[in-house]
Amino acid sequence: MSIVRSVFFLALGVLAISSMCIMIQNHLTVESVNDKENLQPSRHHVLSLGQEDDDVLVFVHISDLHISAFTAKDRYEQLNEFCNINLKAINPGLVIASGDLTDSVTPDNLVVDQFIEEWAMYKALYTICQNVSSVPHWLDLRGNHDNFNINGYNSPNNYYPKFGSQRLHPSGSYMTTIETNNKTKYAFIAVDATLDIGSKRLLNFVGQLDDTRLLKLQELDQAASKLNVNATIWFGHYPSSIILTYGILPGLRHVAAKGIAYLCGHLHTFSGLIPHMYSNHHSGMLELELADWKHNRMYRVAVIDQGLFSFADIKHKTWPVIVVTNPKPLLTVQPSKEPVELMATSTHIRIFIFSPLPINSCEVKLDEGSWQPCKRSGQKHPLYTAPWQPELYSKGLHVLQVRARDSSGSEMLSKIEFALDDTKPRFPLSARLTLMLDFTTMSKVLFAVSIILCTLPFCIIRRLQLRIIQRKMTVLRIRTSCIRLWVRKFWVFASINRLLFPFLAYTVYLTFGPWFIAHFVQDRVGVLFVWGTLFDDGLYLPGTTTYFYCAIHVIFFNMLLVIILAHTADVRYQEKILKKGTDSRTMCRKITSCFPISIFLIFHGITCLIFWQSYGYLSMLVNPARSWSLILAFYLWLTAKRLDTPQLTLAVKTWN
């Protein structure tokens, strides 16, 4: 009967894991979209893709500027250079600055606050950009760094309403419409997802959109539809996967489903691990995370060419800048939102080449063919064209290479893949995981799994021990020595009530009890739980980043602690029961046995100091989950080290 039950639960576990994998796969898989509700209101007034440049909009996207009044002065100097040289050469219709405009961090990189000097520097920057480079529109919004230590939008130290270029929009979210020379309209909608109460560092990473903000975004989307715009571009600081939506209204991905693209930043390409963080949602909308200016000096040049959206992410001081708009790069093709059918009937390859110096040469190469010259055709924009026969490339995947050189000798080679049939793009799995999954949900899952791993195995061991004592099963026999060694360690640990019960109680406490009390915002006191934060005036903020940090704590504290305790208890078991090692307990070995717990306590003691630096002394004094847990860990280790024969009785009965 026990075998049947074991097989049943094993099959149930496999089914659950398989279902989860299928769910994730379905969530990440993007099929071709043909949803009429997601089509742009107007796809007319487009010209043939020949040599004209009447219906073109060029814009620039920059993110995570992190202007600092204390460090990295070259960052700000190069931003001024970007305004004076890059924007003047590109001549965009607008610039989008998508958050983290200021750094808001002291030179020691520990204390965060809003500094009026940094905001004054930012205002001076975009004022120069608009005056010197004749940029007609500078669209910006706040990021999490711009919201550090802010007690609400109307807080005296919230400097965005005083220094931001779009400070006249009190809700943070707004819409701007742009017209091309051909009277084509495009809408740009800003998504402000910063927290209502901007706490200090560590807990101010995830954005939030409640029903009030989502309703505002729906109104902006409806307003764009009434204006009969040809396309909508959404932009915000946080990727959609890093935004918590709570309420009855659907989330950002649903509200922005009609948009061509959602432009964002915030993740800094995960320190270079995902340099091209692009994905395509089920609505057909592209989500394009941009690498930061702070460390990587990256910016994006985007072109909407007669309804076709293309872009290139460029590192500062890289010239010439090449953006191919026909044929579109495969990763940017959106049949439900753009007139992509124009590519198959076009007469010319279309390339926009930007440089502060004249372009001396331009060449294109299709597949394995020869290099062909291209010439400047645009009068208002640096459009270069080359004749081609699209019918020769109507099937499958093809490669277009563009080579351009300016008068200084700087040369750039751009290579894109394109297809004129229904060949689907393949976005990197790492980018899809990052942009399409939900960070808060995955953090909850990670936290739940970590709690289960720290509790369920020991409950199962205790159950097995009880059955062995009741003679309902025999003592375990494990042949593999390594596995037998570690099973014995955890078996001994689970048999000792003085170790197991406090450890389980602490682990379960983390799921519902308060972690610590601290000044999360200025002098405002709050109580942090894994599921949210309660402030002294009754305000409640749902848990977001808390689940992730708590899961990391369980992994690096609870799991490591149980390994140390199990090993220490097993050493005492060998000494007292198996009579091994009693003659070799030299002073050196006794000192060496203290190394694991010493390193463990020092490491977690340092992490507690980080909380003190971030939230003040109160977060250290009233911190059951972190600072108090160090006392518990040391007490349990001493208990394991001093175990005597009576405490090991259960282990003897069920293991030997």
Side-chain angles (χ1 to χ4, degrees):
M1 191 65 182
S2 60
I3 297 178
V4 175
R5 189 183 295 112
S6 300
V7 172
F8 171 76
F9 283 111
L10 178 62
L12 189 64
V14 172
L15 179 62
I17 294 174
S18 301
S19 300
M20 183 177 294
C21 292
I22 292 173
M23 180 182 66
I24 293 176
Q25 175 65 25
N26 291 338
H27 191 74
L28 296 180
T29 301
V30 179
E31 302 294 340
S32 59
V33 179
N34 190 17
D35 187 354
K36 293 183 179 180
E37 293 182 357
N38 291 333
L39 291 174
Q40 286 298 310
S42 175
R43 280 171 51 163
H44 54 273
H45 302 309
V46 292
L47 306 174
S48 62
L49 295 178
Q51 298 176 284
E52 305 83 3
D53 67 341
D54 292 331
D55 191 7
V56 172
L57 174 64
V58 178
F59 67 92
V60 168
H61 175 207
I62 188 169
S63 188
D64 298 274
L65 282 63
H66 288 267
I67 294 174
S68 174
F70 308 105
T71 60
K73 292 185 178 180
D74 62 320
R75 188 187 309 160
Y76 187 72
E77 292 172 355
Q78 291 184 24
L79 274 170
N80 280 279
E81 183 180 284
F82 170 79
C83 289
N84 289 298
I85 299 178
N86 298 51
L87 294 185
K88 189 176 293 185
I90 297 169
N91 190 27
L94 73 152
V95 173
I96 295 173
S98 61
D100 279 0
L101 311 173
T102 62
D103 199 37
S104 307
V105 180
T106 55
D108 56 13
N109 205 34
L110 292 175
V111 179
V112 297
D113 204 349
Q114 299 301 310
F115 304 104
I116 194 171
E117 301 89 347
E118 294 180 348
W119 283 97
M121 293 169 65
Y122 170 68
K123 184 176 182 180
L125 172 75
Y126 72 74
T127 302
I128 292 174
C129 286
Q130 290 189 279
N131 293 338
V132 174
S133 304
S134 302
V135 176
H137 302 278
W138 184 282
L139 310 183
D140 62 11
L141 45 69
R142 295 183 299 158
N144 60 310
H145 277 248
D146 308 315
N147 197 39
F148 278 151
N149 198 29
I150 289 181
N151 190 14
Y153 190 83
N154 296 320
S155 176
N157 68 331
N158 180 22
Y159 297 121
Y160 180 81
K162 302 176 184 177
F163 295 95
S165 69
Q166 301 298 320
R167 55 188 175 274
L168 299 181
H169 301 284
S171 66
S173 299
Y174 58 89
M175 180 182 70
T176 300
T177 56
I178 307 293
E179 285 190 5
T180 66
N181 293 328
N182 201 39
K183 303 303 180 183
T184 302
K185 289 184 180 179
Y186 297 104
F188 290 81
I189 300 180
V191 180
D192 185 350
T194 52
L195 303 179
D196 291 330
I197 303 297
S199 65
K200 301 174 185 177
R201 181 174 273 181
L202 298 181
L203 299 177
N204 192 347
F205 179 76
V206 176
Q208 292 184 354
L209 290 175
D210 57 13
D211 282 348
T212 302
R213 291 188 179 187
L214 287 170
L215 183 60
K216 173 65 176 179
L217 295 177
Q218 285 185 342
E219 293 173 352
L220 294 175
D221 182 59
Q222 293 169 2
S225 299
K226 291 179 181 179
L227 292 174
N228 200 32
V229 298
N230 287 62
T232 302
I233 303 291
W234 295 73
F235 65 95
H237 179 65
Y238 305 90
S240 62
S241 59
I242 313 293
I243 298 177
L244 171 66
T245 301
Y246 58 98
I248 61 174
L249 294 179
L252 175 62
R253 294 172 185 172
H254 179 84
V255 174
K258 296 179 184 178
I260 285 184
Y262 174 65
L263 312 179
C264 58
H266 185 52
L267 294 182
H268 297 245
T269 69
F270 275 133
S271 298
L273 296 176
I274 314 177
H276 304 295
M277 202 179 297
Y278 315 141
S279 188
N280 197 349
H281 292 292
H282 294 279
S283 65
M285 179 186 69
L286 287 170
E287 180 160 353
L288 308 171
E289 199 265 359
L290 173 62
D292 58 282
W293 179 270
K294 179 180 180 180
H295 296 300
N296 294 300
R297 303 294 193 269
M298 295 291 292
Y299 67 98
R300 174 174 292 149
V301 179
V303 180
I304 305 180
D305 182 12
Q306 301 185 31
L308 299 178
F309 171 77
S310 301
F311 71 95
D313 289 350
I314 308 298
K315 193 173 185 65
H316 182 51
K317 296 185 178 181
T318 300
W319 298 106
V321 174
I322 299 174
V323 182
V324 179
T325 60
N326 182 55
K328 277 174 60 70
L330 181 60
L331 292 182
T332 67
V333 172
Q334 303 171 87
S336 66
K337 302 179 181 298
E338 303 171 292
V340 295
E341 63 275 5
L342 294 179
M343 294 190 297
T345 60
S346 62
T347 59
H348 288 75
I349 296 171
R350 296 169 64 87
I351 310 151
F352 289 80
I353 305 177
F354 306 94
S355 176
L357 300 174
I359 299 298
N360 284 351
S361 66
C362 171
E363 297 176 300
V364 298
K365 180 180 179 181
L366 287 161
D367 292 336
E368 299 301 324
S370 59
W371 288 97
Q372 303 293 331
C374 51
K375 65 176 183 178
R376 174 154 183 167
S377 302
Q379 301 298 319
K380 304 165 187 175
H381 302 278
L383 170 64
Y384 290 75
T385 61
W388 78 320
Q389 296 176 287
E391 60 272 13
L392 300 179
Y393 309 93
S394 59
K395 300 293 182 182
L397 191 66
H398 301 277
V399 176
L400 169 66
Q401 297 184 66
V402 180
R403 187 167 61 193
R405 183 185 296 109
D406 62 23
S407 60
S408 69
S410 298
E411 183 175 290
M412 176 59 65
L413 177 66
S414 177
K415 181 179 179 181
I416 68 162
E417 293 182 336
F418 71 94
L420 301 182
D421 56 10
D422 58 353
T423 300
K424 294 180 176 59
R426 295 183 179 179
F427 293 91
L429 177 61
S430 57
R432 285 185 288 151
L433 285 171
T434 305
L435 296 178
M436 298 184 70
L437 294 180
D438 183 81
F439 174 81
T440 302
T441 301
M442 298 306 295
S443 296
K444 291 179 180 179
V445 171
L446 179 63
F447 176 72
V449 170
S450 63
I451 291 292
I452 291 172
L453 290 178
C454 285
T455 55
L456 184 59
F458 303 110
C459 295
I460 294 175
I461 291 176
R462 286 300 290 249
R463 174 63 178 170
L464 294 177
Q465 290 174 342
L466 178 62
R467 289 178 63 82
I468 292 174
I469 291 176
Q470 295 174 344
R471 299 182 182 276
K472 294 182 179 180
M473 64 178 293
T474 60
V475 178
L476 297 181
R477 292 290 182 263
I478 303 173
R479 294 184 177 181
T480 306
S481 59
C482 180
I483 297 177
R484 181 172 65 251
L485 173 64
W486 281 102
V487 170
R488 188 187 69 200
K489 290 178 184 296
F490 292 121
W491 189 277
V492 172
F493 168 79
S495 68
I496 304 168
N497 294 345
R498 294 183 181 181
L499 298 179
L500 178 64
F501 291 163
F503 176 80
L504 291 181
Y506 170 72
T507 303
V508 174
Y509 170 85
L510 295 177
T511 63
F512 64 87
W515 280 57
F516 61 88
I517 299 175
H519 295 90
F520 291 100
V521 182
Q522 296 176 347
D523 295 328
R524 192 168 186 175
V525 178
V527 183
L528 178 76
F529 299 82
V530 67
W531 36 265
T533 305
L534 290 175
F535 287 94
D536 48 5
D537 59 354
L539 177 66
Y540 166 68
L541 293 180
T544 53
T545 315
T546 51
Y547 285 102
F548 179 76
Y549 283 123
C550 293
I552 296 299
H553 171 73
V554 172
I555 293 171
F556 287 97
F557 186 90
N558 295 48
M559 291 186 179
L560 291 180
L561 177 61
V562 77
I563 291 174
I564 294 173
L565 295 178
H567 173 71
T568 305
D570 182 59
V571 169
R572 291 295 290 174
Y573 174 81
Q574 294 182 62
E575 292 175 354
K576 293 295 183 179
I577 306 302
L578 303 181
K579 304 301 180 181
K580 295 181 179 180
T582 55
D583 298 332
S584 59
R585 298 295 288 174
T586 63
M587 182 60 66
C588 181
R589 186 171 179 181
K590 290 180 180 179
I591 295 175
T592 304
S593 66
C594 300
F595 279 178
I597 191 64
S598 300
I599 295 174
F600 177 86
L601 294 175
I602 291 172
F603 171 78
H604 286 284
I606 293 174
T607 62
C608 288
L609 292 177
I610 295 176
F611 278 85
W612 172 62
Q613 289 285 349
S614 298
Y615 303 115
Y617 69 92
L618 191 60
S619 65
M620 284 285 290
L621 296 179
V622 190
N623 193 332
R626 301 295 287 118
S627 56
W628 294 8
S629 64
L630 298 180
I631 301 174
L632 175 64
F634 185 67
Y635 167 76
L636 292 179
W637 177 77
L638 283 179
T639 302
K641 197 170 183 61
R642 297 172 180 176
L643 289 173
D644 209 342
T645 303
Q647 289 87 42
L648 298 168
T649 303
L650 183 58
V652 174
K653 291 180 179 179
T654 58
W655 184 262
N656 286 348

